[in-house]
């Protein structure tokens, strides 16, 4: 296990550095490291790590969402209003519609199988998007128009929406019955997540105002509370719809609102944690990639992924109608909402594990979506943000 961890970090950092030297996103190198070291290639990652791979990826996601909450200025988000709400679900709905239109024709699958595939592929990746948007906020690009804040917040809710829809479609495939009430859990999950996170964030901020401890202790408490929230969602989510991911980000938002100075210091701490968490996340995502599955689908699956991305970008465009954003800023938002990785890695293999007939092809398309959109989206964000977005005056050089 220790040797595997050493290989993950050393090779992951080296490959990431090489990709940056080639003007490619570093996460591409980390994903390729996972593919190389994973069970479908050299098989150099210990089974005990692969056994808890999903949990390790969730820890990395917790770190980046907490960091996002501590950095997100809610007043800036309020300025955006309607487009931020629409981006939580409309692009994903358009992408799922695109899958229903294209997948039966390109892959010869049923509409229900296409719906399941659309729900798997339809989510954006906070692990790719959030660090990029935080970078833009730090450099002052698009912040006056609240563009990175809008994309950052909407990406987390988008995942909740898509995962609930996925559970509805897979339930229909298994039982043949679609429960309409399942869709009603989406707004309930979002609302309970927001209220829980804000409440806990305020309580923790007040507590640490009275009890003075080191910032490192605060970080450990925040992580522990986040782990508890994720566990509660897993154990009680069927009875009480609840989004732990939204709650985790809202804890950081509440803390930033109540104790901004402390929130900035904690954000720096989480930035340091992200250095290791990012490598672990994307290497383990790469380790899930079965190249045989990826190559078996052929060009039809690749065309399908680019086809549904067009539908998704159309959804983003519709969300931004009536806003003051110019053409370049709208184009950037459409590009920034492309990357996929985390959710696809987490749920892409579930239809196969459930014994559904579409399991293999869904996993294949999910893997290809990660390999194509994660590096492409990250690369295009880095390539275009300086020319498409306005920089706020007074931003640090």
């Amino acid at each position: 296990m220790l040797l595997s961890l050493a290989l993950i970090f050393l090779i992951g950092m080296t490959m990431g550095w090489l990709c940056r030297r080639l003007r490619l996103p570093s996460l591409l190198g980390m994903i390729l490291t996972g593919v190389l070291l994973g069970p479908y290639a050299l098989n150099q990652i210990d089974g005990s790590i692969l056994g808890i791979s999903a949990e390790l990826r969730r820890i990395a996601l917790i770190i980046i969402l907490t960091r996002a909450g501590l950095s997100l200025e809610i007043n800036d988000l309020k300025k955006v209003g309607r487009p931020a709400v629409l981006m939580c679900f409309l692009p994903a709905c358009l992408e799922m519609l695109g899958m229903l239109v294209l997948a039966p024709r390109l892959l010869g699958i049923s509409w229900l199988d296409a719906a399941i595939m659309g729900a798997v592929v339809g989510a954006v990746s906070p692990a790719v998007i959030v660090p990029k948007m935080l970078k833009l906020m730090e450099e002052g690009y698009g912040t006056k128009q609240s563009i990175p804040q809008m994309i950052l917040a909407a990406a987390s809710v988008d995942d909740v929406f898509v995962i609930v829809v996925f559970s509805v479609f897979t339930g229909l495939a298994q039982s043949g019955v679609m429960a309409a009430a399942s869709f009603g859990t989406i707004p309930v999950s979002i609302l309970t997540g927001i209220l829980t996170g804000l409440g806990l964030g305020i309580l923790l901020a007040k507590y640490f105002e009275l009890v003075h401890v080191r910032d490192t202790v605060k970080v450990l408490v925040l992580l522990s509370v986040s782990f508890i929230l994720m566990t509660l969602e897993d154990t009680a989510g069927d009875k009480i719809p609840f989004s732990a991911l939204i709650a985790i980000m809202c804890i950081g938002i509440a803390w930033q609102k109540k104790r901004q100075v402390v929130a900035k210091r904690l954000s720096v701490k989480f930035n340091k944690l992200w250095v290791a968490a990012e490598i672990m996340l994307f290497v383990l995502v790469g380790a899930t990639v079965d190249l045989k599955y990826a190559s078996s689908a052929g060009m039809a699956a690749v065309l399908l992924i680019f086809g549904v991305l067009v539908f998704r970008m159309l959804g983003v465009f519709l969300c931004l109608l009536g806003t003051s954003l110019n053409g370049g800023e709208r184009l950037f938002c459409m590009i920034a909402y492309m990357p996929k990785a985390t959710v696809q890695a987490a749920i892409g293999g579930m239809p196969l594990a459930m014994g559904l007939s579409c399991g293999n092809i869904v996993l294949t398309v999910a893997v290809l979506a990660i390999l194509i959109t994660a590096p492409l989206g990250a690369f295009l964000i880095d390539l275009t943000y300086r020319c498409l977005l306005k920089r706020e005056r007074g931003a640090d050089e």
Side-chain angles (χ1 to χ4, degrees), residues 171 193 237 303 385:
L303 290 174
Y385 79 93

Side-chain angles (χ1 to χ4, degrees), residues 92 96 118-120 122-123 157-167 343:
M96 286 186 273
V120 170
V157 181
D158 170 279
D159 285 356
V160 175
F161 172 75
V162 168
I163 289 170
V164 173
V165 172
F166 170 76
S167 66
V343 174

Side-chain angles (χ1 to χ4, degrees), residues 89-306:
F89 64 91
L90 186 57
C93 287
L94 264 291
E95 188 166 5
M96 286 186 273
L97 175 62
M99 192 67 78
L100 287 173
V101 172
L102 298 176
R105 291 170 173 79
L106 290 173
L107 300 180
I109 61 177
S110 69
W111 280 24
L112 179 56
D113 291 346
I116 294 172
M117 185 181 294
V120 170
V121 175
V124 297
S125 173
V128 178
I129 290 176
V130 173
K132 297 297 182 184
M133 295 306 106
L134 290 176
K135 178 184 176 183
L136 265 62
M137 290 163 64
E138 291 167 358
E139 296 183 10
Y141 282 95
T143 51
K144 187 175 182 180
Q145 297 82 11
S146 301
I147 291 170
Q149 296 93 320
M150 173 182 67
I151 295 172
L152 189 154
S156 301
V157 181
D158 170 279
D159 285 356
V160 175
F161 172 75
V162 168
I163 289 170
V164 173
V165 172
F166 170 76
S167 66
V168 172
F169 288 144
T170 51
L172 174 62
Q174 287 183 304
S175 64
V177 178
M178 179 180 288
S182 298
F183 288 100
T185 64
I186 296 173
V188 177
S189 298
I190 294 169
L191 182 60
T192 53
I194 291 173
L195 293 177
T196 302
L198 292 178
L200 284 172
I202 292 170
L203 287 174
L204 287 170
K206 290 289 184 182
Y207 175 77
F208 286 117
E209 193 174 355
L210 298 173
V211 180
H212 299 284
V213 295
R214 296 172 60 185
D215 287 344
T216 303
V217 175
K218 297 185 182 79
V219 168
L220 291 174
V221 171
L222 279 176
L223 287 175
S224 299
V225 170
S226 299
F227 296 162
I228 292 170
L229 289 173
M230 296 292 279
T231 304
L232 287 175
E233 182 182 15
D234 292 340
T235 55
D238 295 336
K239 299 175 183 177
I240 304 174
F242 168 71
S243 170
L245 294 179
I246 291 178
I248 289 164
M249 191 165 72
C250 285
I251 290 174
I253 291 172
W255 206 315
Q256 192 266 142
K257 191 75 175 175
K258 290 295 180 181
R259 301 192 68 193
Q260 191 172 31
V261 175
V262 178
K264 287 183 179 179
R265 296 204 309 264
L266 294 181
S267 180
V268 172
K269 293 280 188 181
F270 276 94
N271 286 350
K272 295 176 181 178
L273 283 177
W274 177 243
V275 172
E278 179 184 32
I279 298 168
M280 184 64 71
L281 173 63
F282 288 111
V283 170
L284 291 178
V285 165
T288 67
V289 174
D290 187 338
L291 294 178
K292 291 182 180 178
Y293 280 135
S295 61
S296 65
M299 189 54 65
V302 175
L303 290 174
L304 176 64
I305 291 166
F306 281 107

Side-chain angles (χ1 to χ4, degrees), residues 361-381:
I361 190 63
V362 169
L363 178 60
T364 300
V365 173
V367 166
L368 285 173
I370 294 171
L371 291 175
I372 293 170
T373 65
L376 178 63
F379 173 72
L380 290 177
I381 290 171

